[in-house]
Amino acid sequence: AQKVTQAQTEISVVEKEDVTLDCVYETRDTTYYLFWYKQPPSGELVFLIRRNSFDEQNEISGRYSWNFQKSTSSFNFTITASQVVDSAVYFCALSEIRAADEDDDKIIFGKGTRLHILP
Amino acid sequence: GAVVSQHPSRVICKSGTSVKIECRSLDFQATTMFWYRQFPKQSLMLMATSNEGSKATYEQGVEKDKFLINHASLTLSTLTVTSAHPEDSSFYICSARAGTGSYGYTFGSGTRLTVV
């Protein structure tokens, strides 16, 4: 069965500090996608990244970086030099890749980490 | 980029009435759309998978007769909450997969339903 665990329920850091959000996943599949989404107070989900299980390269996008460690089934997300606008709930998610019926795949979300950036 | 439009963004209805939420893919065709529900400070829970032209697939514990899903075209899926009760008050969000490219899944902006 698939499962995504975000052990950190809530984190508060002072602006400009770096912060890492943890994500650990479980799946029996060898091929899957991992995602991070941001949900600001307004509620909409903002796509941040999708990572294919074949690609273990870490990724950096501006102040955001992601560390994918297949050996530990983790896909952690780091924000460097945090800003108040980064305050939001961040969800890690997992989706299997089914080549034969790819339209039927679905995303399983972690419980989210509520991030507070204090000015 | 792929855009999913969800309406209404907020709705307040009386207990016992029905509410319809629309989810439209604006610039792509979505053979499959997904409906999620989110309680305050909780994660998104998948309710059902909506397939164009066929019956929706509901997750365990989701009442089919309570949450009617219709996917009549490749760009529109609707969720109708029938005979709404206060416990149905929640944030409902839809998503669609815009192919296998980098867009991945695109989410609507969500609908906050309050049943009074």
Side-chain angles (χ1 to χ4, degrees):
Chain A
Q2 295 174 301
K3 186 179 178 181
V4 177
T5 302
Q6 293 179 257
Q8 303 150 308
T9 305
E10 204 155 345
I11 300 175
S12 294
V13 299
V14 177
E15 198 173 18
K16 296 183 183 176
E17 286 185 0
D18 298 347
V19 58
T20 295
L21 309 182
D22 298 333
C23 174
V24 175
Y25 62 91
E26 293 176 30
T27 179
R28 288 177 295 187
D29 283 355
T30 55
T31 56
Y32 48 88
Y33 288 123
L34 293 165
F35 304 80
W36 275 95
Y37 288 90
K38 174 182 180 180
Q39 187 181 41
S42 52
E44 78 275 17
L45 280 180
V46 179
F47 169 81
L48 296 179
I49 189 172
R50 182 181 82 167
R51 171 63 84 218
N52 186 307
S53 56
F54 293 127
D55 183 3
E56 285 195 69
Q57 279 193 337
N58 292 329
E59 181 154 340
I60 297 175
S61 176
R63 297 184 297 108
Y64 296 167
S65 63
W66 291 269
N67 185 309
F68 179 24
Q69 297 282 341
K70 213 168 179 178
S71 59
T72 55
S73 297
S74 66
F75 186 44
N76 296 338
F77 171 36
T78 297
I79 302 175
T80 58
S82 60
Q83 300 175 2
V84 173
V85 293
D86 295 327
S87 298
V89 180
Y90 290 85
F91 290 100
C92 180
L94 167 72
S95 173
E96 296 173 342
I97 302 173
R98 300 176 195 172
D101 189 16
E102 209 161 351
D103 280 346
D104 198 31
D105 44 359
K106 56 190 179 186
I107 302 180
I108 304 299
F109 286 84
K111 292 190 175 182
T113 298
R114 187 172 297 274
L115 178 63
H116 302 279
I117 308 298
L118 308 173
Chain B
V3 177
V4 171
S5 173
Q6 186 173 341
H7 289 281
S9 58
R10 287 179 181 273
V11 58
I12 300 173
C13 71
K14 289 186 177 180
S15 190
T17 62
S18 296
V19 173
K20 181 185 283 188
I21 302 169
E22 289 190 350
C23 181
R24 292 180 185 273
S25 55
L26 296 186
D27 49 2
F28 66 99
Q29 292 184 333
T31 55
T32 303
M33 291 186 177
F34 305 90
W35 287 95
Y36 292 85
R37 181 175 183 176
Q38 185 183 32
F39 290 106
K41 297 192 177 183
Q42 300 289 320
S43 185
L44 288 92
M45 301 300 296
L46 180 65
M47 298 174 66
T49 302
S50 165
N51 297 297
E52 186 266 336
S54 64
K55 291 183 180 180
T57 303
Y58 289 81
E59 295 298 302
Q60 193 173 9
V62 178
E63 298 175 61
K64 301 178 185 180
D65 296 330
K66 175 78 172 171
F67 300 100
L68 299 179
I69 291 173
N70 184 283
H71 196 152
S73 74
L74 286 170
T75 58
L76 174 64
S77 176
T78 60
L79 166 67
T80 302
V81 183
T82 62
S83 188
H85 287 102
E87 56 264 31
D88 298 324
S89 298
S90 189
F91 189 68
Y92 295 86
I93 196 164
C94 68
S95 78
R97 195 172 63 82
T100 57
S102 59
Y103 293 124
Y105 295 80
T106 300
F107 286 80
S109 53
T111 297
R112 189 163 302 282
L113 170 64
T114 303
V115 184
V116 298

